[in-house]
């Protein structure tokens, strides 16, 4: 990308920094946000054209495409993925209010989602024998979760960002603990011990949402319902963000102290952000509960939180379109990485393999310049592979005894030069640890050595993937997600679509 | 169990038992909290991956203690030496892991917006947790395949082990005593290190003002690295101890322990070393006593700890021993 603003250009190793402490100095005056709004940044023609499209047109285009999705795709699994994606998008835009607009690190967000889901379960199942109509349930959940958000915000309002993170993280864990353990509880005001939440077995057999005479009894209907809600939420949040409150939130995010000095009611603003985020999460929880027809504590654990943060961060905090896009990308990625059953029609390969090699290629393309070196690196890797294979055939009989575990075109391609040992689990584990170490070392190496080491490391990555990671897709996807988060923070902390801000100390 | 079935006056032996449990747990939390607190003191950042370093430490201890051992352990060296060695190696491993995390995940973000290192830490935590799941599997690894020193360490009370079981009808397991003793030794060493050595002085100076320290010829990178090494080594030690104490290790154990360690650091006053010790002890005691004396305490220990956290946040936001930071504009 030739049009990158100057702040993102990494210094070449050959260049000596101007000052010995250049890396440590605050980069005043090269803030992307400032530069963009002073129109000092030249964007490429594509990006400029994309930016000229107004927000409502983008939303409309998305809705138009999304609305026909359940009709065009006649596959229950894919439709379900679509609904899940919408749920994640709703959660992500809700979290964006707290993290992106107001800059508060809320790590208990999932608890509001769970609270909404459990509230729905309580008022619409046989467990307590309430069967409220959805027209009443959904506003009720909206109010209750917003109130819970306020309540959690109350003790936190005096706190600086970091303390807030701990209180909310603990709160999120507490939600799981309480729902998990309230099976046989006798509290001081109760006459006997009762089962409040069903514990790990959850609450099952929930009523489907029956909203304004339309019963949501099929996946496409849930899809449209979630889509309508998404549009509603996005439009509402857009206007909130453009309002006085929204501007105040941004001021609070940039500098709470200065905001307070400007007589902004900092505490009230924080509480408001919490309540907004919580309300969105609560309503989404109701849809989620009704879609699943059951709620379980383990659906609301900390891994969901990290997935959500990955969505918001990847998209770029603060931008509605960004976080929505982030939610789509991350959820499709996570789903794709576990879908090992089907081979995609055109390319003749399973999604996990494509995604893995695609991610490696994209990662390399972001780092390697000029791009012709990519081809060299690939060729060197394959050459290294053939050499390794030759050596193994002579000395290490076990190393070539296995086969690729999944069929597919890439599987056939790597079969010739990758080693496939018999019983690859242990070897794969050691190779995995070696891979982490060698990738880390690679980032430390200087120019010629980095190039020389690249091919063996790539080879090792392919080896670990084909022999070990591909066997454990549900774990692998989280390992990759964690690695992506760390890598993204190191290379582009503002996310893919966000703008960089520099804190001036 | 009836609500508030017990008060300490009913049965003092239970009270003492709970005290022992609380102090044991508390000293482990204190060890974890120290790492959080030290890192926060210097970098002003919450190291969410700390709990997972602790988890890796406990796995290291587990593999060293169980490798090739089934049945009563026959060692060429005395048992105390073996345990010390295992502890030291696990500390070294965890310390190196901490240094690597700092070097690769946090150092590039020194001047990034404040939220960036936190997110990176979440990513590291997620990565470590799931890597452990991949490498070690989802099952709990239990220690019960072997009994150290003829089982004395795990089952017998301290008085029994010393042949004086008629002295008092209490089960004070030797292992608990070892954990408490080990934690106290480590904390004394840490306090001496921070108070008496050049490195400790450099750490205090860097925590006070990194730029000024750099001008005085202190290399902040090296000090930060040392801080991460020491903090992570303490977490690794805590991991080995907990693994032996509860007899099991698993990939997700770091999260809850990390959360408690965190809370301990905050309750005691984050950035303060005696504060972390006090906070850890306090939380361990609350957990232990809630199982005995509070309504539904065995299920909702976390809830009572949370109440403590909220109370401290409300009435003393800087923590019990923390000092208020005055923001300069």
């Amino acid at each position: 990308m030739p049009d990158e603003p100057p702040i993102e250009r990494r210094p070449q190793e050959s260049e000596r920094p101007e000052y010995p402490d250049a890396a440590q100095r605050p980069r005043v005056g090269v803030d992307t946000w400032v530069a963009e709004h002073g129109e000092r940044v030249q964007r490429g023609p594509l990006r400029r054209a994309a930016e000229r499209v107004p927000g409502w047109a983008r939303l409309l285009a998305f809705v138009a495409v999304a609305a026909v999705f359940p009709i065009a795709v006649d596959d229950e699994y894919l439709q379900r993925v679509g609904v899940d994606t919408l749920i994640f998008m709703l959660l992500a835009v809700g979290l964006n209010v707290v993290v992106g607009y107001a800059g508060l690190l809320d790590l208990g967000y999932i608890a509001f989602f769970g609270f909404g889901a459990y509230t729905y379960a309580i008022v619409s199942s046989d467990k307590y024998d309430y069967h409220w109509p959805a027209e009443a349930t959904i506003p009720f959940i909206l109010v209750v979760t917003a109130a819970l958000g306020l309540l959690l915000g109350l003790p936190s309002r005096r706190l600086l960002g970091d303390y807030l993170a701990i209180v909310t993280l603990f709160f999120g864990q507490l939600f799981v603990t309480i729902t998990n353990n309230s099976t046989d509880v006798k509290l001081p005001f109760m006459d006997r011990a009762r089962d409040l939440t069903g514990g790990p077995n959850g609450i099952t057999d929930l009523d489907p949402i029956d909203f304004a005479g339309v019963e949501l009894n099929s996946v496409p209907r849930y899809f449209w319902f979630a889509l309508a809600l998404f549009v509603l939420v996005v439009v509402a949040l857009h206007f909130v963000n453009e309002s006085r409150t929204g501007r105040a939130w941004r001021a609070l995010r940039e500098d709470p102290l200065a905001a307070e000095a400007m007589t902004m009611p900092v505490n009230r603003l924080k509480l408001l952000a919490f309540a907004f985020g919580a309300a969105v999460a609560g309503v989404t929880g109701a849809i989620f509960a009704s879609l699943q027809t059951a709620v379980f504590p383990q659906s609301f654990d900390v891994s969901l939180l990290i997935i959500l943060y990955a969505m918001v961060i990847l998209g770029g905090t603060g931008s509605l379109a960004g976080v929505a896009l982030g939610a789509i990308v991350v959820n499709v990625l996570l789903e794709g990485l576990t879908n090992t059953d089907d081979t995609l029609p055109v390319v003749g390969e399973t999604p996990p393999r494509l995604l893995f090699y695609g991610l490696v290629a994209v990662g390399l393309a972001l780092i390697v310049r000029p791009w012709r070196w990519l081809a060299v690196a690939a060729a060197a890797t394959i050459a290294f592979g053939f050499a390794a294979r030759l050596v193994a055939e002579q000395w290490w009989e076990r190393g070539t005894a296995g086969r690729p575990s999944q069929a597919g075109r890439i599987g056939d391609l790597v079969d010739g030069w990758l080693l496939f040992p018999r019983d690859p689990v242990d070897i794969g584990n050691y190779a995995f640890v070696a891979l982490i170490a060698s990738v880390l070392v690679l980032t430390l190496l200087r120019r010629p050595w980095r190039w020389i080491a690249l091919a063996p490391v790539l080879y090792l990555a392919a080896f670990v993937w084909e022999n070990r990671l591909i066997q454990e897709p549900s774990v692998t996807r989280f390992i990759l997600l964690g690695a992506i988060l760390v890598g993204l923070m190191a290379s582009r902390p503002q996310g893919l679509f966000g703008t960089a801000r520099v804190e001036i100390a | 169990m009836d609500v508030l079935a017990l008060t300490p006056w009913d049965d003092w032996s239970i009270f003492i038992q709970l005290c022992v449990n609380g102090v044991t747990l508390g000293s482990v939390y204190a060890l974890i909290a120290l790492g959080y607190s030290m890192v926060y003191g210097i970098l002003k950042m919450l190291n969410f991956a700390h709990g997972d370093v602790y988890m890796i430490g406990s796995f290291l201890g587990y593999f060293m203690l169980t490798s090739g051992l089934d049945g009563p352990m026959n060692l060429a060296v005395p048992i105390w030496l073996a345990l010390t060695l295992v502890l030291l190696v696990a500390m070294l491993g965890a310390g190196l892991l901490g240094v690597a995390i700092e070097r690769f995940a946090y150092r590039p973000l020194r001047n990034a917006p404040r939220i960036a290192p936190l997110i990176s830490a979440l990513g590291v935590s997620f990565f470590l947790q799931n890597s452990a799941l991949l490498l070690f599997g989802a099952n709990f690894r239990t220690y019960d395949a072997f009994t150290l020193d003829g089982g004395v360490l795990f089952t017998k009370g301290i008085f029994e082990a010393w042949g004086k079981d008629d002295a008092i009808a209490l089960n004070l397991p030797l292992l608990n005593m070892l954990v408490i003793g080990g934690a106290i030794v480590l904390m004394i060493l840490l306090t001496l290190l921070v108070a008496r050595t050049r490195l400790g002085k450099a750490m205090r100076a860097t925590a006070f003002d990194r730029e000024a320290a750099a001008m005085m010829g202190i290399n902040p990178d090296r000090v930060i690295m040392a801080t991460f090494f020491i903090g992570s080594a303490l977490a690794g030690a805590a991991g080995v101890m907990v693994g032996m104490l509860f007899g099991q290790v698993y990939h997700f154990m770091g999260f809850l322990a990390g959360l408690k360690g965190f809370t301990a650091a905050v309750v005691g006053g984050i950035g303060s070393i005696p504060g972390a010790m006090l906070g850890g002890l306090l939380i361990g005691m609350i957990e232990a006593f809630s199982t005995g004396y509070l309504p539904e305490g065995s299920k909702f220990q976390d809830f009572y700890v949370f109440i403590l956290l909220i109370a401290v946040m409300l009435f003393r936001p800087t923590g019990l021993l923390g000092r208020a930071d005055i923001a300069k504009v």
Side-chain angles (χ1 to χ4, degrees):
Chain A
M1 285 174 276
D3 57 346
E4 272 176 344
I7 178 183
E8 283 148 17
R9 200 177 66 97
R10 290 276 191 85
Q12 302 290 313
E13 276 114 331
S14 55
E15 291 175 17
R16 187 158 297 157
E18 265 176 82
Y19 300 97
D21 59 344
Q24 312 266 323
R25 292 159 75 92
R27 288 166 293 187
V28 182
V30 286
D31 184 300
T32 338
W33 189 85
V34 175
E36 258 171 30
H37 288 256
E39 305 197 337
R40 279 190 284 139
V41 175
Q42 295 295 308
R43 296 227 178 264
L46 244 166
R47 247 183 115 169
R48 257 180 294 156
E51 271 167 17
R52 231 175 281 134
V53 180
W56 58 265
R58 273 186 258 173
L59 183 64
L60 215 64
F62 167 72
V63 170
V65 173
V68 294
F69 174 78
I71 305 169
V73 179
D74 189 29
D75 179 279
E76 182 113 0
Y77 166 72
L78 286 179
Q79 288 175 349
R80 180 61 207 256
V81 172
V83 185
D84 288 344
T85 309
L86 275 172
I87 286 177
F88 274 122
M89 287 163 81
L90 274 165
L91 284 177
V93 294
L95 183 60
N96 184 44
V97 175
V98 193
V99 180
Y101 292 168
L104 305 168
L105 195 64
D106 176 7
L107 299 179
Y109 186 70
I110 297 303
F112 300 122
F113 178 54
F115 188 75
Y118 264 88
T119 311
Y120 182 84
I122 284 169
V123 298
S124 18
S125 71
D126 290 332
K127 177 128 190 128
Y128 289 86
D129 222 8
Y130 295 132
H131 293 276
W132 292 14
E135 293 89 342
T137 313
I138 287 181
F140 175 70
I141 288 173
L142 201 73
V143 172
V144 174
T145 41
L148 185 71
L150 281 179
L151 209 63
L152 178 66
L154 271 180
S156 322
R157 72 203 164 97
R158 279 175 68 181
L159 313 176
L160 300 162
D162 297 331
Y163 291 91
L164 189 70
I166 298 164
V167 171
T168 50
L169 184 65
F170 208 129
F171 178 74
Q173 171 58 30
L174 200 61
F175 178 79
V176 178
T177 310
I178 287 181
T179 46
N180 238 332
N181 287 317
S182 296
T183 45
D184 187 22
V185 177
K186 184 174 182 323
L187 293 175
F189 58 86
M190 295 186 334
D191 51 344
R192 60 184 174 81
R194 276 177 214 236
D195 178 5
L196 296 179
T197 60
N201 298 326
I203 303 175
T204 49
D205 284 331
L206 311 184
D207 307 336
I209 291 180
D210 187 349
F211 201 83
V214 184
E215 196 184 5
L216 302 185
N217 50 11
S218 66
V219 178
R221 284 193 176 177
Y222 270 103
F223 186 90
W224 286 313
F225 186 72
L227 184 65
L229 194 69
F230 176 74
V231 172
L232 218 66
V233 167
V234 163
V235 170
L237 290 184
H238 173 75
F239 283 121
V240 171
N241 190 32
E242 298 285 301
S243 73
R244 237 168 95 88
T245 312
R247 287 196 302 278
W249 276 338
R250 267 171 281 157
L252 177 69
R253 174 187 72 191
E254 297 302 322
D255 192 336
L257 211 60
E260 199 163 8
M262 296 290 162
T263 72
M264 286 182 188
V266 170
N267 291 338
R268 212 186 308 158
L269 285 169
K270 282 186 187 175
L271 290 179
L272 205 61
F274 256 90
F276 261 93
V280 173
V283 174
T284 314
I287 300 180
F288 177 72
S290 142
L291 174 72
Q292 281 208 317
T293 69
V295 284
F296 307 104
Q298 59 267 32
S299 315
F300 308 106
D301 68 355
V302 68
S303 41
L304 183 61
L305 179 79
I306 296 188
I307 294 171
L308 264 184
Y309 264 89
M311 291 167 172
V312 171
I313 297 298
L314 199 74
T317 47
S319 137
L320 275 176
V323 294
L325 207 60
I328 298 176
V329 169
V330 171
N331 193 39
V332 168
L333 186 73
L334 291 179
E335 280 296 333
L337 278 170
T338 46
N339 181 15
T340 50
D341 309 331
D342 318 323
T343 308
L344 292 180
V346 184
V347 278
E349 184 49 74
T350 53
R353 262 216 193 94
L354 274 180
L355 283 170
F356 177 78
Y357 289 107
L359 278 175
V360 172
V362 169
L364 280 176
L366 288 176
I367 300 164
V368 175
R369 276 315 126 70
W371 284 348
R372 59 174 176 278
W373 283 97
L374 279 180
V376 178
T381 307
I382 294 172
F384 183 85
F386 278 116
R389 181 111 195 173
L390 273 179
V391 174
E393 271 163 11
Q394 290 295 316
W395 307 101
W396 194 43
E397 180 265 334
R398 183 184 165 189
T400 52
R403 291 272 310 143
S405 57
Q406 280 173 36
R409 265 189 220 159
I410 300 180
D412 299 338
L413 272 179
V414 295
D415 195 17
W417 52 274
L418 216 51
L419 293 175
F420 287 96
R422 200 179 327 112
D423 302 330
V425 174
D426 282 339
I427 295 172
N429 282 347
Y430 288 120
F432 175 71
V433 177
L435 176 66
I436 299 171
S438 56
V439 168
L440 295 183
V441 168
L442 195 66
T443 62
L444 293 182
L445 291 178
R446 295 210 160 248
R447 196 35 74 84
W449 297 109
R450 190 182 273 196
W451 280 111
I452 294 166
L454 185 62
V457 172
L458 283 178
Y459 179 81
L460 191 59
F463 176 82
V464 173
W465 167 257
E466 291 292 341
N467 282 302
R468 186 75 186 98
L469 295 181
I470 206 168
Q471 313 277 6
E472 309 266 359
S474 54
V475 181
T476 298
R477 59 184 186 153
F478 291 145
I479 293 178
L480 286 178
L481 194 67
I484 289 173
L485 265 183
V486 176
L488 189 74
M489 281 299 115
S491 57
R492 209 180 143 79
Q494 69 272 34
L496 293 180
F497 307 100
T499 48
R501 287 183 286 119
V502 176
E503 282 193 9
I504 300 159
Chain B
M1 190 201 286
D2 201 16
V3 176
L4 294 175
L6 282 173
T7 55
W9 292 270
D10 295 339
D11 190 343
W12 284 102
S13 70
I14 290 186
F15 178 78
I16 295 173
Q17 187 76 59
L18 290 177
C19 277
V20 171
N21 291 353
V23 173
T24 315
L25 214 54
S27 46
V28 170
Y29 288 151
L31 284 182
I32 304 172
L34 282 170
Y36 278 120
S37 220
M38 288 166 71
V39 167
Y40 191 87
I42 283 195
L43 282 183
K44 300 281 175 287
M45 107 174 235
L46 299 175
N47 179 12
F48 286 112
H50 195 62
D52 299 286
V53 172
Y54 151 93
M55 177 268 297
I56 298 285
S58 73
F59 266 105
L60 286 176
Y62 171 81
F63 284 122
M64 278 186 282
L65 280 170
T66 52
S67 59
L69 302 171
D70 10 51
M73 195 157 104
N74 296 310
L75 283 173
V77 291
I79 178 74
W80 58 268
L81 187 61
L83 282 181
T84 314
L85 280 178
V86 164
L87 202 63
L88 285 179
V89 175
M91 283 172 77
L92 183 72
L96 290 178
L97 178 65
V99 169
I101 291 172
E102 191 275 326
R103 177 65 190 78
F104 293 103
Y106 303 153
R107 195 180 293 180
L109 301 175
R110 287 277 166 80
N111 288 298
R114 282 200 72 144
I115 205 169
L118 295 179
I119 302 294
S120 192
L122 283 178
V124 171
S125 162
F126 207 43
F127 183 84
L128 286 179
Q129 234 168 59
N130 286 291
S131 298
L133 180 58
L134 178 85
L135 296 178
F136 311 131
N139 296 332
F140 286 45
R141 301 288 184 108
T142 50
Y143 270 108
D144 56 22
F146 87 120
T147 44
L148 260 181
D149 206 19
V152 171
L153 217 45
F154 282 93
T155 55
K156 293 190 183 156
I158 187 164
F159 296 105
E160 240 176 307
W162 289 338
K164 281 192 234 161
D165 49 344
D166 53 331
I168 182 168
L170 271 180
N171 184 28
L172 300 184
L174 188 57
L175 192 62
N176 287 37
M177 297 297 136
L178 281 180
V179 167
I180 296 171
I184 289 175
V185 168
L186 287 175
M187 285 188 238
I188 290 174
L189 285 179
L190 178 74
T191 313
L192 288 180
L193 180 108
V194 172
R196 297 281 171 82
T197 62
R198 278 175 72 91
L199 175 65
K201 212 176 199 174
M203 282 162 70
R204 280 180 288 145
T206 313
F208 190 73
D209 188 333
R210 200 194 309 163
E211 254 173 56
M215 284 173 204
M216 296 294 130
I218 294 169
N219 182 347
D221 280 343
R222 204 172 293 166
V223 173
I224 290 169
M225 207 186 243
T227 309
F228 266 87
F229 182 83
I230 295 167
S232 306
L234 292 178
V240 176
M241 291 174 181
V242 167
M244 285 170 48
L245 204 60
F246 295 114
Q248 62 186 23
V249 292
Y250 57 103
H251 72 280
F252 201 62
M253 66 189 284
F255 175 70
L256 207 56
L259 191 61
K260 298 282 172 60
F262 232 150
T263 312
V266 171
V267 164
I270 199 159
S272 143
I273 287 178
M277 297 176 192
L278 178 70
L281 212 57
L282 204 59
I283 286 182
M285 290 304 245
I286 285 191
E287 287 203 357
F289 281 126
S290 73
T291 54
Y293 301 128
L294 292 172
E296 301 294 345
S298 52
K299 287 175 187 165
F300 298 128
Q301 306 166 353
D302 292 356
F303 178 73
Y304 294 110
V305 177
F306 186 68
I307 300 272
L308 171 78
L309 176 66
I310 295 286
V312 169
M313 291 286 92
L314 278 179
F315 299 111
R316 221 184 135 75
T318 50
L320 295 177
L321 299 184
R323 259 178 308 164
D325 239 357
I326 299 163
K328 284 171 288 185
V329 185

